């Protein structure tokens, strides 16, 4: 009971930090945890309990992964590696005429609902699996905003892609919204998305023919392009 008492105040503090950061980032029901935790840093507290025993309890954020790198740095590398954005109709043509592979990085459930025919699914974010103090704090923060299926970065993303797609393949990475690398008056550095994060990870890991679906699968479906369902 003493150990539980020592954990509770700490989790409350961590949750408040996460809630504050979450409030400025939620724009999609399946938004990745990557966008919601940039400002949270490692915190550790020791509390004394009866008989002089000390128990260390921490809701500790893991070290920053490549997927959590600043968007500015990701964008610079994508441009340097000449990752090009294509619209939905061009993506379909490239798939049909030039053997491009469409890599759908949305959650598996969304993929099963509808996806381009022939697309390969490897989710870049997955449901939170563990129950460490940090994971409990994240679940609480998601729940505060009414999201009861919070997500985390998929640590097996690259390994799964490598098992399905050769590094010499021509890949079009797709997610729901697409994001953009194109600057605009309101977004001078474009806008990050799951597919652009995935494209960044692919070029970091040796993929040399990576493209990005501008407008995302939302545009694909809106334009009535070929789609299939697994349900």
């Amino acid at each position: 009971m003493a150990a539980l008492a020592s954990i509770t105040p700490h989790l409350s503090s961590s949750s408040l930090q996460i809630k504050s950061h979450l409030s400025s980032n939620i724009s999609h029901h399946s938004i990745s945890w990557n966008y919601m935790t940039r400002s949270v840093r490692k915190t550790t507290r020791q509390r004394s309990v009866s008989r002089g025993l000390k128990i260390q309890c921490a809701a500790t954020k893991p070290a920053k992964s490549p997927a959590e790198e600043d968007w500015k740095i990701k964008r610079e590398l994508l441009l340097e590696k000449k990752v090009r954005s294509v619209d939905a109709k061009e993506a379909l043509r490239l798939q049909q005429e030039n053997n491009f592979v469409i890599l759908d990085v949305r959650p598996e459930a969304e993929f099963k609902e509808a996806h381009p025919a022939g697309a390969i699914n490897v989710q870049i974010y997955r449901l939170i699996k563990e129950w460490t103090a940090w994971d409990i704090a994240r679940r609480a923060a998601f729940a505060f905003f009414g999201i009861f299926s919070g997500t985390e970065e998929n640590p097996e993303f690259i390994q799964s892609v490598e098992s399905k797609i050769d590094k010499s393949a021509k890949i079009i990475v797709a997610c729901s919204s697409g994001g953009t690398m194109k600057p605009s008056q309101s977004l001078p550095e474009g806008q990050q998305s799951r597919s652009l994060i995935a494209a960044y990870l692919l070029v970091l890991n040796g993929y040399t023919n990576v493209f990005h679906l501008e407008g995302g699968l939302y545009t694909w479906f809106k334009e009535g392009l070929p789609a299939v369902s697994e349900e």
Side-chain angles (χ1 to χ4, degrees), residues 158-217:
I158 287 296
Q159 181 182 351
S160 297
V161 173
E162 289 175 342
S163 70
K164 297 179 180 182
I165 306 175
D166 190 81
K167 289 196 174 182
S168 63
K170 298 171 183 176
I171 304 172
I172 300 172
V173 191
C175 66
S176 296
S177 62
T180 183
M181 291 184 286
K182 297 177 182 177
S184 65
Q185 186 173 357
S186 59
L187 298 167
E189 294 182 351
Q191 186 170 36
Q192 184 169 228
S193 67
R194 288 177 293 181
S195 55
L196 285 170
I197 294 172
Y200 173 77
L201 295 178
L202 291 177
V203 298
L204 276 182
N205 286 276
Y207 284 86
T208 56
N209 295 293
V210 180
F211 293 70
H212 160 252
L213 182 61
E214 189 89 14
L217 291 170

Side-chain angles (χ1 to χ4, degrees), residues 18 22 25-26 38 54 61 70 75 94 106 115 129 154 219:
I18 299 169
L22 282 170
N25 285 282
I26 290 185
R38 283 183 196 163
K54 286 188 175 181
K61 184 185 186 302
D70 291 341
R75 181 174 178 270
L94 291 171
R106 297 176 301 159
H115 58 267
K129 289 188 174 184
N154 177 9
T219 302

Side-chain angles (χ1 to χ4, degrees), residues 5-41:
S6 67
I7 291 174
T8 302
H10 184 76
L11 289 183
S12 299
S13 174
S14 296
S15 298
L16 287 173
Q17 292 180 50
I18 299 169
K19 291 171 188 173
S20 174
H21 190 65
L22 282 170
S23 62
S24 63
N25 285 282
I26 290 185
S27 59
H28 188 276
H29 73 282
S30 62
I31 190 168
S32 71
W33 182 250
N34 175 59
Y35 302 130
M36 293 190 267
T37 59
R38 283 183 196 163
S39 66
V40 182
R41 294 293 180 264

Side-chain angles (χ1 to χ4, degrees), residues 30 32 67 102-112 119-129 149-161 163-165 173-175 194-195 197-199 201-202:
S30 62
S32 71
I102 296 178
L103 175 62
D104 187 336
V105 298
R106 297 176 301 159
E108 184 179 358
E110 292 182 34
F111 178 81
K112 287 182 176 180
I120 294 174
N121 178 231
V122 180
Q123 56 187 6
I124 190 169
Y125 292 96
R126 67 181 186 184
L127 294 177
I128 298 172
K129 289 188 174 184
S149 54
T151 57
E152 64 183 357
E153 183 182 344
N154 177 9
E156 300 173 354
F157 174 72
I158 287 296
Q159 181 182 351
S160 297
V161 173
S163 70
K164 297 179 180 182
I165 306 175
V173 191
C175 66
R194 288 177 293 181
S195 55
I197 294 172
L201 295 178
L202 291 177

